[in-house]
Amino acid sequence: MLKVVLKGHDYEYEVSELIKLFRSDFDYVEELKDTDELSLINNIKIEDKKVVSLTKVYDGNKVIEEFLEEKEFDKDYSEIINKSKNYNEFIEKLEREDSLIVKKATKWSIKKSIFRALKYIIPDSYVPWGDLTGIKPVKIVHNLMSDGMDDNQILNYLKNEHFITDEKAELALDIAKRERNFIYPLNENKISLYVSIPFCPTRCYYCSFPSNSIKKYGNLRRKYVERLLDEARGTAEIIEKRGWEIETFYIGGGTPTALEAEDMDYMIENLFDIFDFSKIKEFTVEAGRPDTITEEKLKVLKKHGVDRISINPQTMNDETLEKIGRKHSVEDIKKCFKMARNLGFDNINMDIILGLVDEDVEMVKNTLEEIKKLSPESLTVHTLAIKRASKLNMDMDLYKEHLTQYREMIKMIDVSMKAAKEMNLNPYYMYRQKMMLGNLENVGYAKKGYECIYNMQMMEEKQTNIAIGAGAISKFVYLNENRIERVDDVKNLEIYLDRVEDMIEKKKREVEKNAN
């Protein structure tokens, strides 16, 4: 057990997220007592124009190494420092903008000194994203590009400032350069629209998305569509009044194709009457699970101009499909894919998840070989994340011995990158998740010209996303203030049906309070 002492600050959460990159067995203590274990003491001090973070590594009661990091400020805070008893009081006396600057610098110096200490303690650890604990590394690259840095400067910054490996730094830069053409120049008048369909045939063991089983709630699907359209009408008024232009339209879930074909047809037809889609560049629907896809439903999507669909196997191994709660086979996946192709869908994405229960590298290779034969336009490779609301997390004692080991996961990532390259698919967006196995990443790959604009905008958060439906989360982006406000619709299906008007009002209040 690693003992950790923090002095002069209370950034326990940030330090915990960092330590978890290396090990899970650690504990915070007030002070070190007689022990023969390795321990860390981190101490910060605010001097006149800089913050100093010192991390000492103890072996028992003896200091064996020290790691110092300093970050300078543009201002001299000596007068306020002299009037403050401690760090928290000092922060409280600063103006808001200054406090944000100081806190950011403090966290930066703490993370760097502790990261170096952890790397010293565990020298053979593989921490490819360095001290980054956030979920969107590519956002950092975009900011550096906007600051005028060239490729070499950006790569050096990522490696020297955040300890990111060469491979991951180059991946982040490659993706940012590819995204740049779709996201920039920024335009506050363009938005994306998301519609949530919170129904599924069954709930997969790793899932935490809004999902209501058809068996239990299927009788509410038509009523849900009607109430969703009520929210759409109120939301369309907000969009029209604000003068926003819808650039991309995405129907997700749950599983949208869990709706009956008639309900899907009725919903999309009415959505096109309600919203102005005259300038959209992309219309995606997650067909998702093969056990919900029929020729009739695909014809409905084709009729309404859906130009991108997802058919998501997660794995092409039948034994795994059964273990994760899927009620379909690999052969069903192939049949659905070929059916969509025969109906004229020429932009199909497939999702897979690395690290599923009992899967090894050879099984992942099999999945990728089967997908290669189908030749989708894009492939999204997820690394299993243990989400709080998932069955996987709730029943972790049943699954933990069956989860992929760290070194195997690294091999799986390498295999997926190689397979994507062989399919002429380029990485075009990326994100990470908390509780992801190996602290690795999810990467979307696509053939040139088939990149999903919606995915890129959602990851980089440079565009407002209006979302409707149970469990949907709207993100209002204020570029001038570098601020994002989230407005969520209730997750519970039955409560949503009763409170749609409240969902509309929440969006209205957000827009009105920030109106120029």
Side-chain angles (χ1 to χ4, degrees):
M1 178 73 71
L2 178 70
K3 301 293 184 182
V4 182
V5 179
L6 303 181
K7 292 186 176 181
H9 67 91
D10 54 4
Y11 291 119
E12 192 172 294
Y13 172 79
E14 288 80 1
V15 173
S16 294
E17 292 300 296
L18 184 64
I19 297 174
K20 287 175 186 176
L21 304 182
F22 291 84
R23 58 192 296 170
S24 57
D25 57 332
F26 64 94
D27 190 25
Y28 289 102
V29 295
E30 291 293 325
E31 59 182 47
L32 291 184
K33 296 179 180 178
D34 290 340
T35 177
D36 58 359
E37 297 179 301
L38 284 172
S39 309
L40 295 180
I41 293 183
N42 174 260
N43 193 359
I44 65 162
K45 183 179 180 182
I46 305 292
E47 298 183 352
D48 296 347
K49 291 190 66 176
K50 65 182 178 182
V51 58
V52 180
S53 172
L54 177 63
T55 301
K56 295 182 179 181
V57 181
Y58 284 78
D59 185 358
N61 295 314
K62 180 183 178 183
V63 177
I64 57 174
E65 192 57 85
E66 298 183 358
F67 299 92
L68 181 72
E69 290 289 346
E70 300 179 345
K71 186 75 171 179
E72 292 191 358
F73 309 126
D74 292 332
K75 291 185 179 181
D76 186 337
Y77 294 109
S78 56
E79 186 175 340
I80 302 175
I81 292 169
N82 293 333
K83 294 180 180 178
S84 304
K85 296 178 182 177
N86 52 47
Y87 176 79
N88 288 336
E89 187 176 316
F90 165 64
I91 291 293
E92 288 174 3
K93 290 181 179 179
L94 294 174
E95 297 291 334
R96 182 177 182 277
E97 186 175 338
D98 285 337
S99 71
L100 292 175
I101 292 171
V102 171
K103 285 193 282 188
K104 184 178 180 180
T106 303
K107 292 176 186 178
W108 179 91
S109 58
I110 291 170
K111 286 176 69 175
K112 283 199 79 170
S113 66
I114 292 180
F115 183 93
R116 290 171 58 204
L118 291 166
K119 197 69 178 172
Y120 171 79
I121 293 172
I122 315 170
D124 61 343
S125 58
Y126 179 66
V127 190
W129 290 103
D131 66 4
L132 294 185
T133 55
I135 64 174
K136 295 169 183 172
V138 179
K139 289 184 76 172
I140 296 174
V141 180
H142 278 295
N143 292 335
L144 298 176
M145 293 172 78
S146 296
D147 288 341
M149 284 193 183
D150 62 28
D151 290 1
N152 287 332
Q153 289 173 317
I154 291 171
L155 291 173
N156 287 333
Y157 179 92
L158 295 175
K159 290 183 278 189
N160 297 330
E161 294 296 313
H162 292 292
F163 312 107
I164 299 175
T165 64
D166 290 354
E167 179 190 35
K168 300 302 182 186
E170 289 166 6
L171 175 63
L173 177 60
D174 186 23
I175 290 173
K177 290 167 75 173
R178 194 164 281 113
E179 286 182 340
R180 203 81 177 169
N181 295 326
F182 295 92
I183 297 174
Y184 289 80
L186 302 178
N187 187 336
E188 284 192 299
N189 288 325
K190 292 183 178 182
I191 65 167
S192 55
L193 178 69
Y194 179 85
V195 170
S196 169
I197 308 298
F199 298 97
C200 276
T202 58
R203 190 176 187 87
C204 298
Y205 84 128
Y206 50 76
C207 181
S208 65
F209 287 107
S211 174
N212 301 276
S213 73
I214 294 174
K215 183 177 180 180
K216 185 175 181 179
Y217 295 100
N219 63 310
L220 294 176
R221 283 176 289 183
R222 184 66 176 208
K223 184 177 181 181
Y224 177 80
V225 168
E226 294 287 4
R227 293 297 278 153
L228 177 77
L229 293 173
D230 288 337
E231 186 182 4
R233 293 182 187 96
T235 303
E237 291 179 8
I238 298 171
I239 292 173
E240 183 178 357
K241 185 176 180 180
R242 182 63 178 76
W244 280 323
E245 174 187 314
I246 299 173
E247 182 179 38
T248 62
F249 179 26
Y250 195 108
I251 302 179
T255 305
T257 41
L259 294 178
E260 298 288 1
E262 180 183 356
D263 292 337
M264 178 76 75
D265 188 25
Y266 176 77
M267 179 187 73
I268 297 177
E269 185 173 334
N270 277 275
L271 287 171
F272 268 79
D273 287 339
I274 294 167
F275 293 105
D276 179 3
F277 289 123
S278 61
K279 295 182 180 179
I280 66 168
K281 296 178 180 177
E282 177 184 272
F283 182 7
T284 298
V285 173
E286 288 184 5
R289 292 178 53 157
D291 45 352
T292 66
I293 298 173
T294 65
E295 184 175 359
E296 185 182 8
K297 292 178 186 180
L298 290 175
K299 285 181 176 178
V300 167
L301 301 183
K302 195 66 181 173
K303 165 188 165 184
H304 289 293
V306 174
D307 51 21
R308 182 178 183 273
I309 63 172
S310 285
I311 297 175
N312 301 331
Q314 314 305 8
T315 176
M316 296 292 265
N317 297 290
D318 281 323
E319 57 267 46
T320 309
L321 288 172
E322 183 177 351
K323 290 175 182 177
I324 66 176
R326 292 287 184 114
K327 302 301 181 183
H328 62 80
S329 67
V330 170
E331 192 59 33
D332 293 332
I333 297 166
K334 295 177 182 178
K335 287 179 180 177
C336 288
F337 190 96
K338 291 171 183 176
M339 186 194 306
R341 275 283 192 254
N342 291 336
L343 289 172
F345 286 96
D346 60 1
N347 189 353
I348 303 176
N349 170 71
M350 302 188 85
D351 281 13
I352 65 170
I353 299 177
L354 307 181
L356 292 172
V357 57
D358 290 332
E359 287 221 333
D360 58 23
V361 174
E362 291 305 312
M363 295 174 80
V364 171
K365 286 181 179 179
N366 178 67
T367 289
L368 290 163
E369 284 300 317
E370 292 298 323
I371 288 175
K372 196 181 298 182
K373 295 173 188 175
L374 297 172
S375 189
E377 281 64 44
S378 58
L379 172 69
T380 308
V381 180
H382 299 274
T383 304
L384 182 66
I386 305 169
K387 299 178 180 180
R388 185 176 58 182
S390 68
K391 178 175 171 56
L392 171 61
N393 186 50
M394 294 175 184
D395 297 335
M396 180 52 68
D397 287 344
L398 300 176
Y399 290 111
K400 61 185 179 183
E401 292 183 5
H402 302 273
L403 295 178
T404 303
Q405 297 300 308
Y406 187 48
R407 295 294 173 185
E408 284 287 286
M409 183 66 76
I410 296 169
K411 293 176 185 176
M412 290 177 179
I413 289 278
D414 291 341
V415 165
S416 66
M417 292 179 70
K418 181 181 178 183
K421 189 173 183 179
E422 290 172 353
M423 288 186 273
N424 294 316
L425 303 176
N426 303 309
Y428 77 97
Y429 87 105
M430 174 180 65
Y431 68 104
R432 297 159 72 211
Q433 294 168 276
K434 291 185 182 299
M435 299 302 290
M436 178 181 283
L437 293 184
N439 190 45
L440 296 164
E441 68 278 344
N442 300 325
V443 179
Y445 298 90
K447 294 178 181 177
K448 187 175 182 180
Y450 291 91
E451 299 87 352
C452 178
I453 300 170
Y454 177 88
N455 284 337
M456 291 185 280
Q457 290 287 10
M458 285 298 294
M459 287 306 106
E460 303 318 317
E461 298 181 320
K462 298 297 184 182
Q463 181 184 85
T464 289
N465 173 251
I466 304 296
I468 63 174
I473 302 174
S474 297
K475 291 194 290 188
F476 293 85
V477 177
Y478 302 97
L479 294 173
N480 292 338
E481 304 171 51
N482 193 27
R483 177 168 63 92
I484 298 171
E485 298 293 341
R486 289 168 172 79
V487 176
D488 62 314
D489 282 17
V490 293
K491 289 183 178 181
N492 182 279
L493 176 62
E494 291 164 314
I495 294 175
Y496 173 82
L497 295 175
D498 290 336
R499 291 182 51 197
V500 163
E501 286 70 27
D502 293 342
M503 306 303 102
I504 298 169
E505 284 304 312
K506 286 170 70 175
K507 293 180 180 67
K508 281 185 178 178
R509 286 196 298 270
E510 175 59 33
V511 171
E512 288 170 358
K513 77 180 183 182
N514 290 281
N516 293 329

